[in-house]
Amino acid sequence: MDPFFTRLRDYWESVGKALRREAEVASVFPNTADIGVSRERLYIEFLRAHVPAFCTVSLGGFAFGADGSESRQIDVLVASGSSLRFDFLNKDRQGKSFACVDGLVAAVSLKSNLDGKEIADAVENLASLPLVAPIGGLYHPMGPRLKDYDAWPLKVIYAPDGAMHETALEHLRCVTAALPVTRWPDLVHVCGKYVVVKIGADGARTRDGTTLQPNSFFAQTTRPDAWGFAMVTQRIQEIEQSMRMMLFTYDYLLDKFPT
C-alpha cells in the first residue's frame, strides 16, 4: 500500500480515538442533557473540519418539505450552500435551526450508547424527514448520474459506544422492515466497533469479490473508524456536488404564505 494512503487510514483512526476520548471526558457530567450537548458538539466539530466549505453544519433543528410537512427534531443538519438558510436567531451557530429538505445534504442522529431502544428511536427520527421534491426538470442534463436521489439526504446514526454489530444488525432489520428503503439510515457508526452501511439500489461488491445485495445492510468491523468517517465525508461531498447541479426554487414559500 502507498505510504500516503496508510497515513490517511491512520488519520481517520486517530479522529475516532480523539472523539472516543472526548466522549469519555464528557461522560463525567452528572446531567445527561450536558452529556448530549457535548456529544453533539464533538460530532459537529468533526464535520465542520472535513466536509466541503460550501456546506453549512447546524446543531440540529428540523427539516420541512414543500408540502409543509416537518421532521422530528434532528441532532445535526448539513445543508448545501445553495439552499436557503434560516439562522437569524442562530447567529453564534451554536443553537437550533431549520432547513428545507430540498438542499439538505445530511441529517445525523447522535446517541451516547446505541442499544436496541436507541436504534429504534434514531431510525424513526430520521425516517420522519420529508421526501425530497420529484427530480423532474430540476437536475441539469449535463450533470453526472444521481445515486439514490429518492433517499436523500444522507441519514447517519453515530454513537461513541453501543451494542455489538450482530445485535445492531438484528435491530436495524427489525425496525426498518415496515419502512420504505428510502427511509432507512445510510450509515450506522459505533466508534471503535463497527460501521453498518446500507447498500444502495445498484448493489455493491467487497474487495474480496463478495456480492452485496441491493437494499441490504453490511457491517464493517475491520478499522471501522477509518471506513466510517471516510464514507460519511465522501458521501456528503458527493451529494453536495450533485446539489450544485440542482435547480431548486423556493417560490412556494411565498405562494403558501397565509393571507
Side-chain angles (χ1 to χ4, degrees):
M1 184 183 291
D2 187 282
F4 168 73
F5 292 108
T6 299
R7 296 200 308 275
L8 181 61
R9 178 200 65 196
D10 294 344
Y11 168 84
W12 287 121
E13 289 289 306
S14 297
V15 170
K17 290 178 182 177
L19 261 67
R20 290 200 304 275
R21 183 166 56 249
E22 293 191 43
E24 290 172 358
V25 172
S27 68
V28 303
F29 289 116
N31 190 323
T32 54
D34 291 335
I35 295 174
V37 169
S38 297
R39 175 195 67 214
E40 291 171 351
R41 295 194 190 285
L42 289 173
Y43 201 79
I44 282 180
E45 289 173 8
F46 149 70
L47 288 174
R48 287 177 176 165
H50 295 96
V51 301
F54 202 59
C55 293
T56 59
V57 182
S58 301
L59 180 63
F62 67 91
F64 67 90
D67 60 355
S69 58
E70 301 179 27
S71 73
R72 290 169 51 177
Q73 183 80 16
I74 307 293
D75 292 322
V76 180
L77 300 174
V78 182
S80 167
S82 61
S83 64
L84 288 176
R85 297 171 60 191
F86 303 90
D87 279 346
F88 187 77
L89 302 178
N90 185 27
K91 294 179 181 179
D92 62 358
R93 300 178 71 202
Q94 302 301 313
K96 302 297 181 183
S97 182
F98 60 99
C100 179
V101 73
D102 300 321
L104 190 62
V105 181
V108 185
S109 180
L110 300 172
K111 299 295 182 182
S112 295
N113 191 295
L114 197 65
D115 57 16
K117 178 182 177 181
E118 297 293 6
I119 287 174
D121 181 76
V123 169
E124 292 171 6
N125 184 267
L126 295 175
S128 73
L129 288 163
L131 299 177
V132 291
I135 191 66
L138 291 176
Y139 193 59
H140 194 288
M142 298 300 290
R145 174 178 174 266
L146 291 179
K147 291 172 58 179
D148 299 310
Y149 169 75
D150 290 346
W152 285 10
L154 184 75
K155 292 176 280 294
V156 179
I157 300 172
Y158 174 83
D161 200 2
M164 299 306 294
H165 73 276
E166 297 94 345
T167 302
L169 280 170
E170 182 180 348
H171 285 293
L172 274 172
R173 289 167 180 153
C174 180
V175 298
T176 58
L179 293 174
V181 173
T182 56
R183 301 296 87 197
W184 294 6
D186 296 288
L187 190 140
V188 180
H189 183 183
V190 173
C191 201
K193 288 188 174 181
Y194 59 85
V195 56
V196 175
V197 182
K198 185 189 82 173
I199 306 304
D202 291 339
R205 190 179 297 273
T206 63
R207 289 186 175 183
D208 64 6
T210 302
T211 299
L212 303 177
Q213 295 301 312
N215 303 322
S216 64
F217 289 115
F218 172 74
Q220 170 77 31
T221 57
T222 303
R223 297 189 181 276
D225 295 341
W227 286 101
F229 292 123
M231 284 190 286
V232 164
T233 52
Q234 180 273 334
R235 187 67 177 127
I236 285 176
Q237 186 277 333
E238 183 179 33
I239 293 175
E240 188 277 329
Q241 183 170 256
S242 294
M243 280 188 174
R244 298 193 195 190
M245 308 292 284
M246 305 293 288
L247 305 176
F248 289 128
T249 176
Y250 298 100
D251 291 346
Y252 66 84
L253 294 179
L254 295 176
D255 295 340
K256 295 185 177 182
F257 269 3
T259 57

